[in-house]
Amino acid sequence: MAKVPLGWRLRKRVWTRWQTLRFRLSKPQHIGAPEAHRGTIRSIPMGRKWRKIPLRQVLVYSRLPRDEAKLGMRIFTRLTLLLDRILPQMGKDLPEIDANIDKALKFGLTRGYRKAFRAPVVPAELPPDPDLGELATASPYSVFLARNPDDGFVEWDFRFFGDFEHHRGLRSLAVRVVFSESIDTRKLTAQEIHTADQGVVRRGEPGWREAKRLALCAATTHMSLTRHYGYVHLVSGDHWAVAARNHLPADHPIYRLLWPSLFNSLYTNHAITRGQMLPGGDFEHMFSLTHAGLMACFDTMYGRYPIAVIDPEADWARRGLADAKFDCRSQQNLMELFTLMHDHASRYVDAYYASDQELRADPAVAAFLDALATLIPNGFDGLAGDELTRDGLARLIGAYIYEGNTIHDMAGTSLWDYQLWADRNPTRVYADGRRVPVDVFQRVINNNFALQIKRAPLLADYGEAALDGEGRALFTQFYEECRALQDRYDQAPAGPWRMEPKNLEISMNG
């Protein structure tokens, strides 16, 4: 690696120490009973709330509720933005990272980072020359598998990225990977990669390895931008909190069921949005899209939001995989976790409503669901059934709880073990073949490190949030079932692809 200017090295030291300080100051949150609501929270376009983030379709909260308007968080957020103006994280014409990824990581993962948190672990499915079929079935990117309705092939389809402006000199992320299915081995094999720049590259042809890197670049970009920030934070995190606070009293049993997952939702979005979405923010400098491209991408993907993504069984069917001829370890893992959340919600709803008729007679639940269906792009789309039932409500709530803990970890926190291996899972691919510069790589490291902050663990008893003794017992049962699944997982080896209760937070919230 060429010599890195001293001035940028000093700025790097400031930023890594700032991130380490934030990591050490953050403590797991205590979630007790909620306080009574005050006032109504409106939903407005993000571009009206922050004019330098000109999103027109994406709706966000109009104000922070009193219990989430925490002075320390707001001061720290402002200081972070100020620091980035005074000491920008990015440099000019900086050298590429070392060709040896271990040396590049040694340069980027400072002593402070290594003392505060573990080093990344390269997944077995992500060797220097990865098998996309393995990654498609045992990695976070499994959620992008779908059967193309036109030709019947199983695919990753990221061709929509071609609609959005990329930085000059970067390869287009408009990529489609076509897989074949083996009935005998029940495995997927990547056969073709369709690219915007080089056409179709087939397995074994020159350029195949580079085409795989581009496909993984598209996958990790879509995971971070759309599946994590767009769908978990902007849709689930924001809209469920606004609808619940506006229409469910704090002492309502359904509000208490939701409360551990709702806690600090808007606070968290407030803390992260500007640092990632403003011009010059994390997303613009980590990934391939320009700021204008990012804005168009977020508005477009928000408008296409399918609520089935929060329910792994419904989503598997939505993606045309109900008759899949291959095994998908990630899907099995996600279904095991979803079952825990769904069973918990079902027991709870049944405990407080003796019948569907009793549930339909509750005006607060009806108002909450009407507001939520209006806020969520494309509504419930049949996920909760055609009419309000206990089963439908429990499935919807179980899916929301699962989205906030399992998918949030998979689409965000777990990428520490994927995106830092820039030689095989890059966040940018340059047309001339050069590696990412040190400032881009450092921004990726800093951002992923920030995602490791501990919030509130899934493996805890949240009975204090309950309305009464019956609710407390149900929260305790949920904890015990999560603990039992973890005990089973502890008996078998696993890689970073597997989401486990011991590593999950109760929600996306800081």
Side-chain angles (χ1 to χ4, degrees):
M1 183 174 69
K3 187 174 181 180
V4 180
L6 178 61
W8 185 82
R9 284 177 177 265
L10 293 174
R11 280 185 278 148
K12 170 198 166 187
R13 179 179 298 179
V14 171
W15 273 101
T16 55
R17 289 186 174 182
W18 180 257
Q19 294 286 7
T20 305
L21 174 65
R22 178 176 177 239
F23 185 92
R24 289 174 174 165
L25 290 176
S26 297
K27 305 297 181 185
Q29 298 285 330
H30 171 256
I31 302 178
E35 64 178 49
H37 309 321
R38 295 191 177 189
T40 298
I41 302 173
R42 295 179 297 111
S43 292
I44 60 176
M46 186 180 285
R48 281 181 54 192
K49 188 170 184 64
W50 293 300
R51 63 180 181 82
K52 291 185 179 180
I53 310 176
L55 295 176
R56 296 179 176 85
Q57 302 300 319
V58 177
L59 300 179
V60 296
Y61 61 95
S62 61
R63 64 174 181 85
L64 288 172
R66 189 182 69 169
D67 58 303
E68 296 193 30
K70 300 176 183 180
L71 182 60
M73 176 274 292
R74 289 182 286 139
I75 291 174
F76 200 93
T77 300
R78 287 183 177 274
L79 286 175
T80 302
L81 295 172
L82 178 62
L83 182 63
D84 198 32
R85 288 199 296 269
I86 298 172
L87 297 172
Q89 297 180 63
M90 309 308 291
K92 184 177 181 181
D93 298 326
L94 293 180
E96 306 166 50
I97 62 171
D98 199 285
N100 184 314
I101 190 61
D102 292 323
K103 290 182 179 179
L105 281 170
K106 184 177 181 180
F107 179 76
L109 288 173
T110 64
R111 184 186 305 174
Y113 280 1
R114 292 176 184 272
K115 287 178 64 177
F117 191 66
R118 66 170 176 82
V121 177
V122 62
E125 296 77 17
L126 193 65
D129 186 16
D131 181 339
L132 294 189
E134 284 292 307
L135 281 168
T137 54
S139 83
Y141 311 136
S142 67
V143 296
F144 299 137
L145 277 177
R147 190 176 303 282
N148 187 297
D150 296 326
D151 58 26
F153 285 111
V154 176
E155 66 181 7
W156 279 342
D157 190 357
F158 306 119
R159 288 175 291 182
F160 57 85
F161 275 126
D163 296 334
F164 312 122
E165 183 180 74
H166 290 49
H167 290 290
R168 184 176 300 175
L170 297 183
R171 295 278 303 277
S172 171
L173 298 181
V175 175
R176 181 195 182 205
V177 181
V178 178
F179 298 93
S180 63
E181 303 169 81
S182 170
I183 298 176
D184 295 332
T185 64
R186 297 194 61 81
K187 290 186 177 182
L188 290 179
T189 301
Q191 298 291 357
E192 296 180 349
I193 300 176
H194 300 232
T195 72
D197 301 333
Q198 295 179 303
V200 179
V201 183
R202 293 176 177 82
R203 184 179 184 84
E205 291 182 347
W208 178 247
R209 186 166 180 172
E210 184 64 12
K212 289 194 294 183
R213 290 182 72 246
L214 184 62
L216 287 174
C217 182
T220 207
T221 300
H222 194 32
M223 182 64 71
S224 290
L225 298 184
T226 306
R227 197 64 187 87
H228 178 207
Y229 181 72
Y231 289 174
V232 176
H233 283 277
L234 293 182
V235 178
S236 285
D238 191 292
H239 299 337
W240 280 76
V242 169
R245 284 178 175 274
N246 283 344
H247 297 285
L248 293 173
D251 60 355
H252 192 283
I254 297 301
Y255 191 82
R256 295 303 183 93
L257 170 60
L258 294 169
W259 176 238
S261 300
L262 294 172
F263 177 84
N264 272 359
S265 292
L266 305 183
Y267 159 99
T268 300
N269 283 358
H270 185 91
I272 65 175
T273 294
R274 284 170 292 172
Q276 296 185 323
M277 293 286 282
L278 283 170
D282 288 337
F283 290 157
E284 181 183 356
H285 288 301
M286 288 169 56
F287 299 109
S288 300
L289 303 184
T290 65
H291 193 259
L294 285 169
M295 297 300 100
C297 180
F298 276 110
D299 261 343
T300 299
M301 300 313 292
Y302 178 88
R304 296 176 184 175
Y305 176 75
I307 195 171
V309 296
I310 71 174
D311 179 328
E313 184 175 13
D315 195 42
W316 191 251
R318 177 188 71 89
R319 292 184 272 140
L321 299 174
D323 61 347
K325 300 179 181 64
F326 59 91
D327 296 323
C328 185
R329 289 180 287 167
S330 285
Q331 174 67 11
Q332 180 182 351
N333 170 227
L334 297 181
M335 280 300 305
E336 289 171 343
L337 288 159
F338 171 73
T339 298
L340 290 178
M341 319 304 164
H342 181 209
D343 288 350
H344 170 52
S346 294
R347 287 191 298 266
Y348 192 101
V349 170
D350 288 350
Y352 286 94
Y353 297 93
S355 66
D356 293 341
Q357 291 73 24
E358 185 177 325
L359 176 62
R360 292 182 193 126
D362 187 332
V365 171
F368 161 63
L369 292 175
D370 284 347
L372 186 59
T374 299
L375 285 173
I376 290 178
N378 308 307
F380 295 153
D381 195 25
L383 187 64
D386 296 330
E387 60 178 346
L388 179 57
T389 64
R390 293 183 300 169
D391 287 346
L393 178 63
R395 188 165 194 102
L396 185 66
I397 291 176
Y400 164 67
I401 295 171
Y402 157 89
E403 175 83 346
N405 56 51
T406 302
I407 296 299
H408 179 256
D409 186 277
M410 183 187 72
T413 310
S414 73
L415 294 188
W416 177 259
D417 294 318
Y418 290 86
Q419 286 185 350
L420 272 59
W421 304 102
D423 57 332
R424 59 203 82 173
N425 190 179
T427 57
R428 287 182 173 184
V429 175
Y430 288 83
D432 61 6
R434 62 191 170 100
R435 298 178 296 277
V436 294
V438 292
D439 53 347
V440 170
F441 189 52
Q442 191 66 49
R443 193 104 183 212
V444 172
I445 293 174
N446 293 351
N447 181 267
N448 276 276
F449 178 79
L451 295 178
Q452 309 309 315
I453 287 174
K454 299 304 178 185
R455 302 169 187 88
L458 174 64
L459 285 183
D461 187 341
Y462 290 97
E464 192 175 341
L467 189 63
D468 51 30
E470 185 174 21
R472 178 180 288 272
L474 292 170
F475 273 107
T476 299
Q477 183 177 352
F478 175 53
Y479 162 68
E480 291 172 345
E481 291 183 351
C482 291
R483 181 73 264 173
L485 179 62
Q486 184 58 55
D487 290 343
R488 181 160 67 83
Y489 281 164
D490 287 341
Q491 304 307 309
W497 61 268
R498 191 168 75 189
M499 301 296 102
E500 301 188 11
K502 68 181 179 183
N503 297 325
L504 301 179
E505 311 291 336
I506 189 63
S507 72
M508 51 155 267
N509 310 320

